[in-house]
Amino acid sequence: MSTEIVSKKIYFVIWASLMVLLFVTWGVAQFDLGLFNSLAALTIAIIKMLLVILYFMHVRYSSRLTWVFAGAGFLWLMIMITLTLSDYTTRGFVRPYNRVLSNWQDKNWNHLPGDKPMEPRPLP
Amino acid sequence: MNETEAVPVPAPAEVEENYLSAGHTVRSWLLTTDHKRIGLLYLFSIIFFFAIAAVAAAIMRLELLTPPGDLVLSATYNKLFTLHGVIMVWFFLIPSIPNVLGNFLIPMMIGARDVAFPKLNLLSWYLFMAGGLLALHAIIVGGVDTGWTFYTPYSSRYSNTHTVEMALGIFLSGFASILTGLNFIITVHEMRAPGLTWFRLPLFIWSHYATSLILVLATPVLAITLLLMMLERIWGLGIFDPRLGGDPVLFQHLFWFYSHPAVYIMILPSMAVVSELIPCFSRKRIFGYKFIAFASMAIAVLGFVVWGHHMFVSGQSVYAGMIFSILSFIVAIPSGIKVFNWTATLHRGSISFETPMLYALGFIGLFSLGGLTGLFLAALAVDVHVTDTYFVVAHFHYIMVGGTVLAFMGGIHFWWPKITGRMYPEKLGQLAALVTFIGFNLTFFPQFVMGYLGMPRRYHAYAPEFQIYHVLSTAGATILGVGYLLPVIYLLWSLRHGKKAGANPWGATGLEWQTPSPPPVHNFAEVPRVTGEPYDYSPQEEEKKAEDDHA
Amino acid sequence: MPETKRALAEHFETLEQQHQAAWLGMWTFLATEIMFFSGLFMGYIIYRHTYFQSFEIASRHTNIIYGTVNTAILLTSSLTMALGVHAAQEGRNKAVVRYILITILFAAAFMVVKGAEYYEHFKNHEIPGQAFHPIPQAPQAVIFFYLYFAMTGLHAVHVMVGIGVLSVMAWLAARQRFDRVYNTPVELAGLYWHFVDIVWIFLYPLIYLIDRHT
């Protein structure tokens, strides 16, 4: 239950940390760190989100049930992302035995998605 | 002697006004926040939409009587099956049991005075009607020919029909679904009567809780998907357009992320109804209560991870296809658990064949058949063979008509005395149940056969060798139509002429039967206290009573 | 407490029960909101994965100053909102009005910056459509911009709804509607506002920080 009144000081501390994190994420983005750039940006975003949810939204002081309700949306978002990516990341892993289809895929799939065409695999 | 004359016998049922007699004005219905009245508003609305979609089905079946396309043009036929699909799925099946029976019963079953948010409940009906009328308008001004799935880029770029308006209608009705689901979840969490712990809840509640989970978590995805489709059509560009590098398969992913769980929105509430009917008419405690309860939750959760089986031939990667295929097989487990438990409940029960029970038994048979053919479709190789054939059509009609509609009819008959305070003519009811069952099987069983032989779906003309199956199917549809019409007639008749029903005509357990029929405005004179498990039936006692009566 | 009595709807037993129901109801609603945004995030992930370079180049055409300032504005508005809820819990209606008005002011500032940013895109022909100027090295930049406008646009709609909701709360508080016991509406409006903030917390790195180092 959120009837518990949180001290004002905590809100200011959280706000200050959010601002520091904003500065850090902006700063990190100025350097070329390869893949680590996205990783850092997303990690910091998640930390910021957790701070807002736990303190501003009082979840830290709330019942277990609230934790479940708050988590459910994110869990389901993860289900969607994981399974949809299971399609996009594995396109072309298994090639149809049908020669016509395979040829079609070689011609079209490699050029349709994106800037970096994949190497076509040799037919068995 | 003069004492008996002086003191009039008070009729307890008439002391408090019931929810029907509480107001007779149109305003008292349109501005009501009473969950029972909202349930009835939904009942009238979905029957209206059902009739429209049924007419479309009838025209299609007539067209298919002969191989050439001689009754309607191919373009008209496309609009007919779209109309049938859209209206039946979003404006009949999805709201059918949850919004009518669920709305009416959930607060009563848990001993509450109303749902948690009565105003949102009314808003839900208005959104539903707004969406429904918008969809209807789209049909009247020219219809839509994309099929109920709205696949891009056809729907977003090439179709010359009213896709945006139709999608907007569905978008609005989606918010109605969300509000209903939200209401049910909170109602079950917060409004239970004292002593009513989770494992004392009727299974009706468990199933509806699972349904609400899907309503709340899946429907917003449909909303955003249709929104993007609409923007793409209006704006002329978007993320599903292959000409700009977009991927139409992404639309299918998002669409089926909603639409596969939506199938469970249709079937879980039917399971809810059947779980009430079977123990009542077997006079036996339900077998494996916890298994059925958890199976409902498992179906709701697993239902979210199988959507890819609608896309085996869409260009999805074969690896993903394998993953989705395996996951799809897993959903069969909780469904199977339920069927086994219902059957085990029947075992050594004191079974009687009243109308609701006939529908429930029909449900078990048809749902099993529909579910088992679903396993064929979950298998990659078989699915490639039967994709977009009548096999698929027959499969989902076994689930949606054989499952949901039969359970809906069973539920309506079972709770009709509670809703109206009147009994319907039992013999006619049994006849209608039988006619429906026969008509249904005659309509859809031939479709399995012709689908497997290669009859593709969504065509208005076909090769002559399939005619025999189509004739059988159309004949069956006619019988099915009679089976639907009969209850409408005698249920309306019973409103005035039916025998008055007592509070509990079936001798059923459950809190909803402990209050007068029709229930008073606030359901219970005082908040009930629950001390025992649900389904407290005893076949031994029942048999002894029957023997005593006989002697 | 007359206020409290009026606040209790007839189908609830206690105010505690009513509050708990509303609180969980709001969290359920926020879960649906997450799923509502999910389609756009999913689209972003897929196309970021598929058109890696196009996205990097296109994202350099966004203005990081506007983005960062807006993030700071929203984070601060979340603070004032939290302080408003805090004041409501203590039953200080005047302070509630003050904090909520400040929050609305921040929200309006956010919209102004957003508008300026959209205008800049308009001037640079970066709005997808007839007048869109293709970026030669980034053939799929149009998808990036479509997603950019869809995501920030949907978020802006939520901000405007938030302004409406907060205005109602300020009006209610000005009429002394809340006290120590009954302050649920302010609390729920706060939850909604923090959610809007969280969406932006993710939009900021996804849109502005993709490829800033060059």
Side-chain angles (χ1 to χ4, degrees):
Chain A
M1 219 44 206
S2 55
T3 35
E4 185 180 335
I5 299 181
V6 186
S7 141
K8 261 188 187 178
K9 208 176 117 197
I10 288 181
Y11 293 134
F12 282 102
V13 171
I14 295 300
W15 173 76
S17 349
L18 285 171
M19 292 314 238
V20 169
L21 283 169
L22 171 62
F23 181 74
V24 170
T25 191
W26 174 81
V28 169
Q30 308 304 315
F31 302 97
D32 186 3
L33 303 169
L35 269 182
F36 187 74
N37 271 122
S38 323
L39 202 68
L42 283 179
T43 313
I44 291 177
I46 289 170
I47 295 171
K48 277 176 12 191
M49 173 189 81
L50 287 177
L51 287 178
V52 172
I53 290 184
L54 289 178
Y55 292 95
F56 283 171
M57 296 170 95
H58 297 170
V59 167
R60 189 171 167 230
Y61 313 99
S62 304
S63 60
R64 278 282 169 79
L65 200 58
T66 311
W67 284 74
V68 174
F69 274 54
F74 294 103
L75 184 68
W76 256 257
L77 185 62
M78 283 303 130
I79 291 178
M80 174 196 264
I81 292 174
T82 317
L83 280 172
T84 310
L85 281 181
S86 83
D87 168 19
Y88 282 88
T89 51
T90 61
R91 292 238 177 124
F93 269 32
V94 179
R95 292 154 49 75
Y97 190 64
N98 183 321
R99 201 164 277 269
V100 179
L101 260 180
S102 299
N103 289 341
W104 185 88
Q105 281 194 1
D106 288 347
K107 249 199 243 120
N108 297 283
W109 276 15
N110 296 326
H111 306 305
L112 259 186
D115 316 321
K116 298 173 294 179
M118 273 184 290
E119 267 316 301
R121 292 180 179 197
L123 277 173
Chain B
M1 279 130 276
N2 29 8
E3 264 178 32
T4 39
E5 281 163 27
V7 183
V9 183
E14 284 160 28
V15 170
E16 200 183 346
E17 263 189 326
N18 69 46
Y19 79 105
L20 291 169
S21 64
H24 296 283
T25 55
V26 175
R27 193 192 148 89
S28 77
W29 280 89
L30 291 184
L31 293 180
T32 182
T33 52
D34 184 341
H35 66 100
K36 299 183 284 300
R37 286 193 165 207
I38 294 171
L40 288 192
L41 286 177
Y42 261 114
L43 178 65
F44 300 132
S45 333
I46 64 164
I47 287 176
F48 168 68
F49 288 118
F50 179 84
I52 292 170
V55 169
I59 300 173
M60 281 192 286
R61 281 308 339 150
L62 268 182
E63 160 58 50
L64 292 170
L65 208 48
T66 53
D70 38 19
L71 182 65
V72 294
L73 295 171
S74 55
T76 317
Y77 189 82
N78 291 347
K79 288 175 181 174
L80 282 173
F81 70 67
T82 306
L83 186 171
H84 178 72
V86 168
I87 300 286
M88 278 296 191
V89 168
W90 281 298
F91 299 100
F92 174 72
L93 286 166
I94 285 183
S96 62
I97 296 175
N99 282 333
V100 178
L101 294 173
N103 245 334
F104 196 95
L105 292 167
I106 287 176
M108 283 205 276
M109 281 185 166
I110 62 172
R113 272 171 253 162
D114 208 326
V115 291
F117 310 111
K119 284 177 195 152
L120 286 187
N121 205 8
L122 183 65
L123 177 65
S124 152
W125 182 73
Y126 275 101
L127 285 172
F128 173 76
M129 285 313 281
L133 294 178
L134 208 59
L136 214 56
H137 182 256
I139 290 162
I140 291 168
V141 297
V144 179
D145 65 352
T146 59
W148 76 282
T149 46
F150 292 101
Y151 273 12
T152 53
Y154 183 68
S155 61
S156 60
R157 186 170 282 278
Y158 299 105
S159 169
N160 282 318
T161 52
H162 301 78
T163 41
V164 171
E165 203 182 347
M166 189 69 116
L168 197 63
I170 297 163
F171 183 81
L172 284 179
S173 81
F175 284 100
S177 287
I178 292 173
L179 291 181
T180 303
L182 192 152
N183 232 327
F184 286 173
I185 288 179
I186 306 302
T187 307
V188 175
H189 269 289
E190 295 301 325
M191 313 286 286
R192 299 194 309 272
L196 192 55
T197 55
W198 281 87
F199 290 112
R200 287 176 180 175
L201 286 173
L203 288 166
F204 188 90
I205 304 290
W206 273 98
S207 262
H208 270 83
Y209 187 82
T211 311
S212 307
L213 194 74
I214 305 175
L215 283 171
V216 161
L217 290 168
T219 319
V221 181
L222 175 76
I224 190 68
T225 312
L226 290 180
L227 191 67
L228 288 174
M229 188 274 279
M230 288 187 269
L231 287 179
E232 185 159 333
R233 192 173 169 89
I234 298 165
W235 214 352
L237 108 148
I239 58 172
F240 305 130
D241 188 347
R243 298 193 309 181
L244 298 166
D247 184 7
V249 178
L250 179 62
F251 175 87
Q252 298 182 21
H253 273 297
L254 295 177
F255 180 82
W256 288 112
F257 183 87
Y258 163 78
S259 288
H260 190 77
V263 176
Y264 298 106
I265 298 177
M266 302 171 204
I267 201 66
L268 276 168
S270 334
M271 295 168 160
V273 170
V274 171
S275 302
E276 296 296 309
L277 301 189
I278 297 283
C280 176
F281 293 103
S282 318
R283 316 312 301 174
K284 207 172 147 228
R285 187 169 288 213
I286 195 142
F287 183 84
Y289 172 92
K290 281 193 183 175
F291 275 95
I292 299 186
F294 284 127
S296 293
M297 300 307 287
I299 289 175
V301 174
L302 289 175
F304 275 97
V305 298
V306 300
W307 78 82
H309 66 220
H310 295 268
M311 302 162 58
F312 284 159
V313 298
S314 72
Q316 172 184 245
S317 95
V318 182
Y319 258 35
M322 291 175 191
I323 293 167
F324 280 121
S325 175
I326 293 165
L327 289 171
S328 304
F329 280 113
I330 293 174
V331 191
I333 297 170
S335 312
I337 287 176
K338 290 201 165 202
V339 171
F340 285 131
N341 279 317
W342 292 323
T343 324
T345 308
L346 293 174
H347 180 63
R348 307 197 71 176
S350 167
I351 301 172
S352 58
F353 294 99
E354 276 94 346
T355 315
M357 184 61 163
L358 288 181
Y359 279 114
L361 292 175
F363 169 92
I364 296 181
L366 299 183
F367 172 72
S368 304
L369 208 54
L372 290 173
T373 49
L375 292 180
F376 290 42
L377 296 171
L380 269 171
V382 184
D383 185 76
V384 170
H385 174 59
V386 294
T387 288
D388 271 346
T389 67
Y390 268 73
F391 191 88
V392 177
V393 175
H395 157 71
F396 70 70
H397 278 92
Y398 262 78
I399 299 289
M400 290 176 190
V401 185
T404 311
V405 177
L406 253 61
F408 177 67
M409 297 298 282
I412 288 286
H413 281 87
F414 186 60
W415 283 290
W416 189 255
K418 182 54 61 187
I419 294 171
T420 63
R422 302 276 184 164
M423 295 301 287
Y424 54 86
E426 183 60 40
K427 283 273 170 308
L428 268 175
Q430 286 166 322
L431 179 71
L434 220 61
V435 170
T436 309
F437 185 77
I438 294 168
F440 172 81
N441 279 300
L442 191 55
T443 312
F444 293 105
F445 199 81
Q447 297 189 358
F448 275 128
V449 182
M450 67 171 138
Y452 201 79
L453 294 175
M455 168 78 204
R457 68 193 280 205
R458 294 179 168 177
Y459 279 88
H460 76 313
Y462 54 89
E465 63 257 38
F466 295 120
Q467 189 175 13
I468 174 69
Y469 305 109
H470 276 298
V471 170
L472 284 175
S473 191
T474 304
T478 318
I479 299 172
L480 189 58
V482 175
Y484 289 151
L485 218 55
L486 263 177
V488 174
I489 296 167
Y490 66 72
L491 287 179
L492 285 176
W493 175 87
S494 77
L495 283 180
R496 206 161 270 279
H497 308 287
K499 207 171 65 196
K500 278 222 154 111
N504 190 359
W506 310 114
T509 64
L511 289 178
E512 81 269 28
W513 300 107
Q514 293 176 15
T515 188
S517 315
V521 176
H522 284 298
N523 297 349
F524 300 98
E526 56 185 278
V527 178
R529 281 181 183 280
V530 182
T531 49
E533 309 261 301
Y535 307 112
D536 197 9
Y537 299 106
S538 155
Q540 285 80 16
E541 268 177 39
E542 206 63 33
E543 270 165 35
K544 224 170 85 193
K545 212 169 75 193
E547 277 168 24
D548 291 350
D549 287 352
H550 206 66
Chain C
M1 230 178 281
E3 276 298 320
T4 309
K5 225 178 202 141
R6 198 170 64 195
L8 180 63
E10 58 179 0
H11 59 290
F12 287 110
E13 290 292 308
T14 60
L15 209 57
E16 172 77 15
Q17 185 196 21
Q18 182 177 358
H19 174 256
Q20 183 75 6
W23 169 259
L24 285 179
M26 192 64 198
W27 277 103
T28 315
F29 173 73
L30 294 184
T32 72
E33 283 278 30
I34 294 172
M35 295 314 284
F36 189 59
F37 276 94
S38 70
L40 288 168
F41 280 104
M42 194 66 243
Y44 181 92
I45 294 168
I46 295 298
Y47 293 118
R48 167 86 171 118
H49 165 79
T50 323
Y51 303 126
F52 206 77
Q53 286 154 16
S54 280
F55 267 50
E56 286 187 342
I57 295 163
S59 87
R60 278 179 227 143
H61 289 253
T62 56
N63 190 328
I64 193 169
I65 297 177
Y66 286 147
T68 314
V69 168
N70 256 349
T71 314
I73 289 177
L74 269 195
L75 289 176
T76 314
S77 82
S78 250
L79 169 72
T80 56
M81 188 67 233
L83 292 173
V85 173
H86 181 82
Q89 284 171 337
E90 288 180 340
R92 295 182 293 126
N93 277 307
K94 258 196 187 143
V96 176
V97 177
R98 201 169 56 237
Y99 282 125
I100 288 186
L101 285 182
I102 297 173
T103 311
I104 292 176
L105 224 65
F106 277 124
F110 175 88
M111 293 303 290
V112 168
V113 174
K114 199 79 235 163
E117 195 178 358
Y118 277 7
Y119 181 65
E120 203 177 283
H121 288 300
F122 174 75
K123 272 200 311 197
N124 295 341
H125 296 276
E126 283 157 353
I127 296 182
Q130 299 278 316
F132 185 78
H133 283 186
I135 303 167
Q137 312 85 356
Q140 276 83 27
V142 67
I143 289 198
F144 174 85
F145 278 106
Y146 178 76
L147 278 168
Y148 165 81
F149 281 107
M151 288 167 119
T152 56
L154 196 64
H155 178 261
V157 169
H158 279 79
V159 172
M160 284 191 284
V161 170
I163 291 177
V165 171
L166 291 179
S167 309
V168 174
M169 290 308 137
W171 182 69
L172 288 177
R175 297 183 50 183
Q176 306 291 324
R177 277 297 189 77
F178 307 116
D179 54 42
R180 263 168 201 284
V181 185
Y182 177 70
N183 47 50
T184 319
V186 182
E187 207 180 353
L188 301 191
L191 287 185
Y192 175 82
W193 190 252
H194 296 310
F195 169 79
V196 173
D197 189 23
I198 287 172
V199 173
W200 187 262
I201 286 178
F202 280 94
L203 289 184
Y204 173 64
L206 292 185
I207 288 169
Y208 300 94
L209 298 183
I210 290 181
D211 194 38
R212 279 293 154 192
H213 42 81
T214 37

